Amino acid sequence: MSIQATRQSTTVTPDLLRTSLRVDSWATAAFGAVMLAGAKWLRDPLGLPVALSVVFGIVMPAGGAVLALIARYPRIPVGAAAAVVVVNSLSCLGMVTLACTDVVALTGFGRAFMVVGAVAVAVFGELEFVGLRRARRMSGRPA
């Protein structure tokens, strides 16, 4: 197999990072919009205070926009991608903390909602971490 053929077979690797960032951006923005629009309706079934839903509803679409901007770079900056992985990790930890403590008086459904959200954030974080490692490896930088 020629070197050119080998490179072509691995060119899909950096796309994992870009695709993960794009899908994460849409999911984050959409989830934030749902939290904002449904803040009053979600209060009773989740036990999530309206004010907290509104904060999520404002911050998450902004975060989604940042993710989309990062994904649009021709070459995604390593620092930006690493920051996304860290923020996703902290978000996951925060959601698990909310689900497992009484900081917010969540209902059983609210706790499950937080755990499912934490799993989704963890999956995005993992995909972005793996995508970042692969992209760095392909560029000849240590992973």
Side-chain angles (χ1 to χ4, degrees), residues 57-91:
I58 293 169
V59 171
M60 292 182 75
V66 170
L67 291 168
L69 288 173
I70 293 169
R72 289 186 59 165
Y73 279 102
R75 293 183 51 90
I76 296 171
V78 171
V84 169
V85 172
V86 169
V87 169
N88 276 342
S89 299
L90 292 173
S91 296

mmCIF file of all heavy atoms in Angstrom, residues 57-91:
data_model
loop_
_atom_site.group_PDB
_atom_site.id
_atom_site.type_symbol
_atom_site.label_atom_id
_atom_site.label_comp_id
_atom_site.label_asym_id
_atom_site.label_seq_id
_atom_site.Cartn_x
_atom_site.Cartn_y
_atom_site.Cartn_z
ATOM 1 N N GLY A 57 -31.286 27.553 29.902
ATOM 2 C CA GLY A 57 -31.857 27.907 28.615
ATOM 3 C C GLY A 57 -31.156 29.063 27.930
ATOM 4 O O GLY A 57 -31.196 29.176 26.703
ATOM 5 N N ILE A 58 -30.506 29.920 28.691
ATOM 6 C CA ILE A 58 -29.765 31.042 28.112
ATOM 7 C C ILE A 58 -28.312 30.648 27.830
ATOM 8 O O ILE A 58 -27.771 30.962 26.768
ATOM 9 C CB ILE A 58 -29.830 32.267 29.045
ATOM 10 C CG1 ILE A 58 -31.272 32.797 29.096
ATOM 11 C CG2 ILE A 58 -28.849 33.348 28.615
ATOM 12 C CD1 ILE A 58 -31.519 33.824 30.175
ATOM 13 N N VAL A 59 -27.703 29.959 28.765
ATOM 14 C CA VAL A 59 -26.277 29.622 28.646
ATOM 15 C C VAL A 59 -26.025 28.538 27.595
ATOM 16 O O VAL A 59 -25.057 28.630 26.827
ATOM 17 C CB VAL A 59 -25.713 29.186 30.021
ATOM 18 C CG1 VAL A 59 -24.313 28.635 29.902
ATOM 19 C CG2 VAL A 59 -25.743 30.368 30.990
ATOM 20 N N MET A 60 -26.888 27.549 27.526
ATOM 21 C CA MET A 60 -26.617 26.419 26.632
ATOM 22 C C MET A 60 -26.637 26.782 25.147
ATOM 23 O O MET A 60 -25.746 26.346 24.414
ATOM 24 C CB MET A 60 -27.558 25.265 26.951
ATOM 25 C CG MET A 60 -27.244 24.669 28.322
ATOM 26 S SD MET A 60 -28.273 23.290 28.735
ATOM 27 C CE MET A 60 -27.548 22.041 27.699
ATOM 28 N N PRO A 61 -27.593 27.575 24.649
ATOM 29 C CA PRO A 61 -27.500 27.973 23.234
ATOM 30 C C PRO A 61 -26.227 28.782 22.942
ATOM 31 O O PRO A 61 -25.627 28.641 21.875
ATOM 32 C CB PRO A 61 -28.756 28.802 23.002
ATOM 33 C CG PRO A 61 -29.734 28.242 23.987
ATOM 34 C CD PRO A 61 -28.897 27.954 25.208
ATOM 35 N N ALA A 62 -25.802 29.598 23.898
ATOM 36 C CA ALA A 62 -24.544 30.332 23.721
ATOM 37 C C ALA A 62 -23.371 29.349 23.646
ATOM 38 O O ALA A 62 -22.484 29.495 22.800
ATOM 39 C CB ALA A 62 -24.341 31.319 24.868
ATOM 40 N N GLY A 63 -23.396 28.335 24.509
ATOM 41 C CA GLY A 63 -22.362 27.296 24.451
ATOM 42 C C GLY A 63 -22.407 26.535 23.141
ATOM 43 O O GLY A 63 -21.362 26.207 22.558
ATOM 44 N N GLY A 64 -23.615 26.262 22.656
ATOM 45 C CA GLY A 64 -23.757 25.592 21.363
ATOM 46 C C GLY A 64 -23.165 26.418 20.239
ATOM 47 O O GLY A 64 -22.523 25.889 19.324
ATOM 48 N N ALA A 65 -23.353 27.745 20.307
ATOM 49 C CA ALA A 65 -22.783 28.635 19.285
ATOM 50 C C ALA A 65 -21.256 28.598 19.333
ATOM 51 O O ALA A 65 -20.598 28.568 18.288
ATOM 52 C CB ALA A 65 -23.293 30.056 19.490
ATOM 53 N N VAL A 66 -20.691 28.572 20.521
ATOM 54 C CA VAL A 66 -19.232 28.487 20.656
ATOM 55 C C VAL A 66 -18.729 27.168 20.067
ATOM 56 O O VAL A 66 -17.727 27.145 19.335
ATOM 57 C CB VAL A 66 -18.803 28.639 22.136
ATOM 58 C CG1 VAL A 66 -17.329 28.307 22.329
ATOM 59 C CG2 VAL A 66 -19.093 30.052 22.627
ATOM 60 N N LEU A 67 -19.407 26.069 20.364
ATOM 61 C CA LEU A 67 -19.007 24.775 19.795
ATOM 62 C C LEU A 67 -19.053 24.803 18.269
ATOM 63 O O LEU A 67 -18.151 24.286 17.600
ATOM 64 C CB LEU A 67 -19.915 23.666 20.327
ATOM 65 C CG LEU A 67 -19.771 23.320 21.805
ATOM 66 C CD1 LEU A 67 -20.923 22.426 22.249
ATOM 67 C CD2 LEU A 67 -18.440 22.676 22.085
ATOM 68 N N ALA A 68 -20.101 25.408 17.719
ATOM 69 C CA ALA A 68 -20.222 25.501 16.259
ATOM 70 C C ALA A 68 -19.089 26.327 15.671
ATOM 71 O O ALA A 68 -18.537 25.975 14.617
ATOM 72 C CB ALA A 68 -21.572 26.098 15.885
ATOM 73 N N LEU A 69 -18.718 27.408 16.340
ATOM 74 C CA LEU A 69 -17.609 28.238 15.859
ATOM 75 C C LEU A 69 -16.291 27.467 15.884
ATOM 76 O O LEU A 69 -15.502 27.540 14.937
ATOM 77 C CB LEU A 69 -17.487 29.513 16.704
ATOM 78 C CG LEU A 69 -18.576 30.553 16.492
ATOM 79 C CD1 LEU A 69 -18.438 31.686 17.503
ATOM 80 C CD2 LEU A 69 -18.519 31.104 15.075
ATOM 81 N N ILE A 70 -16.064 26.732 16.944
ATOM 82 C CA ILE A 70 -14.829 25.932 17.036
ATOM 83 C C ILE A 70 -14.797 24.900 15.914
ATOM 84 O O ILE A 70 -13.765 24.696 15.274
ATOM 85 C CB ILE A 70 -14.713 25.257 18.419
ATOM 86 C CG1 ILE A 70 -14.505 26.308 19.513
ATOM 87 C CG2 ILE A 70 -13.569 24.233 18.434
ATOM 88 C CD1 ILE A 70 -14.644 25.775 20.929
ATOM 89 N N ALA A 71 -15.929 24.266 15.658
ATOM 90 C CA ALA A 71 -15.990 23.232 14.612
ATOM 91 C C ALA A 71 -15.749 23.812 13.223
ATOM 92 O O ALA A 71 -15.331 23.080 12.322
ATOM 93 C CB ALA A 71 -17.351 22.533 14.655
ATOM 94 N N ARG A 72 -15.971 25.102 13.034
ATOM 95 C CA ARG A 72 -15.815 25.722 11.715
ATOM 96 C C ARG A 72 -14.375 26.075 11.367
ATOM 97 O O ARG A 72 -14.081 26.374 10.215
ATOM 98 C CB ARG A 72 -16.670 26.976 11.626
ATOM 99 C CG ARG A 72 -18.156 26.645 11.570
ATOM 100 C CD ARG A 72 -18.960 27.850 11.337
ATOM 101 N NE ARG A 72 -18.521 28.447 10.057
ATOM 102 C CZ ARG A 72 -19.190 29.347 9.404
ATOM 103 N NH1 ARG A 72 -20.318 29.784 9.881
ATOM 104 N NH2 ARG A 72 -18.751 29.849 8.270
ATOM 105 N N TYR A 73 -13.481 26.073 12.345
ATOM 106 C CA TYR A 73 -12.078 26.370 12.048
ATOM 107 C C TYR A 73 -11.547 25.352 11.039
ATOM 108 O O TYR A 73 -11.819 24.157 11.175
ATOM 109 C CB TYR A 73 -11.204 26.270 13.298
ATOM 110 C CG TYR A 73 -11.236 27.479 14.193
ATOM 111 C CD1 TYR A 73 -11.985 27.484 15.350
ATOM 112 C CD2 TYR A 73 -10.488 28.617 13.880
ATOM 113 C CE1 TYR A 73 -12.008 28.589 16.194
ATOM 114 C CE2 TYR A 73 -10.496 29.720 14.714
ATOM 115 C CZ TYR A 73 -11.258 29.694 15.859
ATOM 116 O OH TYR A 73 -11.264 30.792 16.682
ATOM 117 N N PRO A 74 -10.771 25.816 10.049
ATOM 118 C CA PRO A 74 -10.175 24.856 9.105
ATOM 119 C C PRO A 74 -9.306 23.829 9.843
ATOM 120 O O PRO A 74 -9.335 22.646 9.538
ATOM 121 C CB PRO A 74 -9.328 25.722 8.175
ATOM 122 C CG PRO A 74 -9.883 27.097 8.304
ATOM 123 C CD PRO A 74 -10.464 27.193 9.690
ATOM 124 N N ARG A 75 -8.555 24.301 10.814
ATOM 125 C CA ARG A 75 -7.778 23.427 11.699
ATOM 126 C C ARG A 75 -8.203 23.777 13.118
ATOM 127 O O ARG A 75 -7.974 24.886 13.579
ATOM 128 C CB ARG A 75 -6.277 23.639 11.511
ATOM 129 C CG ARG A 75 -5.778 23.187 10.142
ATOM 130 C CD ARG A 75 -4.271 23.330 9.981
ATOM 131 N NE ARG A 75 -3.509 22.733 11.062
ATOM 132 C CZ ARG A 75 -3.066 21.473 11.086
ATOM 133 N NH1 ARG A 75 -3.310 20.674 10.079
ATOM 134 N NH2 ARG A 75 -2.381 21.018 12.108
ATOM 135 N N ILE A 76 -8.826 22.848 13.775
ATOM 136 C CA ILE A 76 -9.377 23.101 15.108
ATOM 137 C C ILE A 76 -8.230 23.278 16.105
ATOM 138 O O ILE A 76 -7.370 22.407 16.216
ATOM 139 C CB ILE A 76 -10.302 21.954 15.540
ATOM 140 C CG1 ILE A 76 -11.497 21.891 14.593
ATOM 141 C CG2 ILE A 76 -10.761 22.137 16.991
ATOM 142 C CD1 ILE A 76 -12.376 20.673 14.763
ATOM 143 N N PRO A 77 -8.207 24.415 16.811
ATOM 144 C CA PRO A 77 -7.141 24.631 17.801
ATOM 145 C C PRO A 77 -7.204 23.587 18.919
ATOM 146 O O PRO A 77 -8.271 23.313 19.464
ATOM 147 C CB PRO A 77 -7.434 26.024 18.348
ATOM 148 C CG PRO A 77 -8.341 26.670 17.351
ATOM 149 C CD PRO A 77 -9.103 25.555 16.704
ATOM 150 N N VAL A 78 -6.043 23.038 19.238
ATOM 151 C CA VAL A 78 -5.963 22.004 20.271
ATOM 152 C C VAL A 78 -6.484 22.532 21.607
ATOM 153 O O VAL A 78 -7.236 21.848 22.304
ATOM 154 C CB VAL A 78 -4.510 21.492 20.411
ATOM 155 C CG1 VAL A 78 -4.355 20.577 21.613
ATOM 156 C CG2 VAL A 78 -4.074 20.786 19.138
ATOM 157 N N GLY A 79 -6.106 23.754 21.955
ATOM 158 C CA GLY A 79 -6.550 24.329 23.228
ATOM 159 C C GLY A 79 -8.062 24.456 23.310
ATOM 160 O O GLY A 79 -8.657 24.181 24.361
ATOM 161 N N ALA A 80 -8.681 24.860 22.218
ATOM 162 C CA ALA A 80 -10.147 25.003 22.205
ATOM 163 C C ALA A 80 -10.816 23.640 22.350
ATOM 164 O O ALA A 80 -11.774 23.487 23.113
ATOM 165 C CB ALA A 80 -10.601 25.692 20.920
ATOM 166 N N ALA A 81 -10.296 22.649 21.624
ATOM 167 C CA ALA A 81 -10.872 21.306 21.713
ATOM 168 C C ALA A 81 -10.676 20.726 23.114
ATOM 169 O O ALA A 81 -11.583 20.104 23.669
ATOM 170 C CB ALA A 81 -10.254 20.394 20.662
ATOM 171 N N ALA A 82 -9.508 20.945 23.686
ATOM 172 C CA ALA A 82 -9.243 20.455 25.041
ATOM 173 C C ALA A 82 -10.169 21.149 26.046
ATOM 174 O O ALA A 82 -10.681 20.512 26.979
ATOM 175 C CB ALA A 82 -7.783 20.678 25.412
ATOM 176 N N ALA A 83 -10.416 22.439 25.851
ATOM 177 C CA ALA A 83 -11.326 23.171 26.739
ATOM 178 C C ALA A 83 -12.736 22.598 26.661
ATOM 179 O O ALA A 83 -13.430 22.485 27.682
ATOM 180 C CB ALA A 83 -11.328 24.658 26.385
ATOM 181 N N VAL A 84 -13.166 22.210 25.464
ATOM 182 C CA VAL A 84 -14.492 21.606 25.303
ATOM 183 C C VAL A 84 -14.576 20.308 26.100
ATOM 184 O O VAL A 84 -15.566 20.049 26.796
ATOM 185 C CB VAL A 84 -14.814 21.353 23.810
ATOM 186 C CG1 VAL A 84 -16.053 20.491 23.646
ATOM 187 C CG2 VAL A 84 -14.972 22.672 23.074
ATOM 188 N N VAL A 85 -13.527 19.498 26.031
ATOM 189 C CA VAL A 85 -13.508 18.231 26.781
ATOM 190 C C VAL A 85 -13.594 18.509 28.285
ATOM 191 O O VAL A 85 -14.354 17.850 29.009
ATOM 192 C CB VAL A 85 -12.257 17.401 26.429
ATOM 193 C CG1 VAL A 85 -12.133 16.185 27.338
ATOM 194 C CG2 VAL A 85 -12.296 16.972 24.959
ATOM 195 N N VAL A 86 -12.857 19.505 28.758
ATOM 196 C CA VAL A 86 -12.872 19.851 30.185
ATOM 197 C C VAL A 86 -14.253 20.360 30.597
ATOM 198 O O VAL A 86 -14.797 19.938 31.625
ATOM 199 C CB VAL A 86 -11.769 20.886 30.518
ATOM 200 C CG1 VAL A 86 -11.940 21.453 31.912
ATOM 201 C CG2 VAL A 86 -10.391 20.267 30.358
ATOM 202 N N VAL A 87 -14.835 21.252 29.800
ATOM 203 C CA VAL A 87 -16.161 21.793 30.144
ATOM 204 C C VAL A 87 -17.202 20.681 30.145
ATOM 205 O O VAL A 87 -18.061 20.629 31.040
ATOM 206 C CB VAL A 87 -16.547 22.940 29.182
ATOM 207 C CG1 VAL A 87 -18.013 23.316 29.342
ATOM 208 C CG2 VAL A 87 -15.659 24.147 29.420
ATOM 209 N N ASN A 88 -17.134 19.771 29.176
ATOM 210 C CA ASN A 88 -18.080 18.651 29.169
ATOM 211 C C ASN A 88 -17.889 17.776 30.401
ATOM 212 O O ASN A 88 -18.860 17.310 30.995
ATOM 213 C CB ASN A 88 -17.950 17.825 27.891
ATOM 214 C CG ASN A 88 -18.753 18.401 26.749
ATOM 215 O OD1 ASN A 88 -19.648 19.207 26.938
ATOM 216 N ND2 ASN A 88 -18.428 17.985 25.539
ATOM 217 N N SER A 89 -16.651 17.548 30.788
ATOM 218 C CA SER A 89 -16.383 16.742 31.994
ATOM 219 C C SER A 89 -16.963 17.412 33.231
ATOM 220 O O SER A 89 -17.596 16.751 34.069
ATOM 221 C CB SER A 89 -14.876 16.531 32.170
ATOM 222 O OG SER A 89 -14.346 15.837 31.075
ATOM 223 N N LEU A 90 -16.749 18.713 33.356
ATOM 224 C CA LEU A 90 -17.285 19.446 34.506
ATOM 225 C C LEU A 90 -18.807 19.489 34.483
ATOM 226 O O LEU A 90 -19.455 19.375 35.536
ATOM 227 C CB LEU A 90 -16.706 20.864 34.541
ATOM 228 C CG LEU A 90 -15.204 20.956 34.840
ATOM 229 C CD1 LEU A 90 -14.715 22.391 34.678
ATOM 230 C CD2 LEU A 90 -14.885 20.406 36.220
ATOM 231 N N SER A 91 -19.387 19.627 33.304
ATOM 232 C CA SER A 91 -20.856 19.621 33.182
ATOM 233 C C SER A 91 -21.424 18.274 33.610
ATOM 234 O O SER A 91 -22.429 18.211 34.320
ATOM 235 C CB SER A 91 -21.272 19.932 31.749
ATOM 236 O OG SER A 91 -20.870 21.223 31.393
#
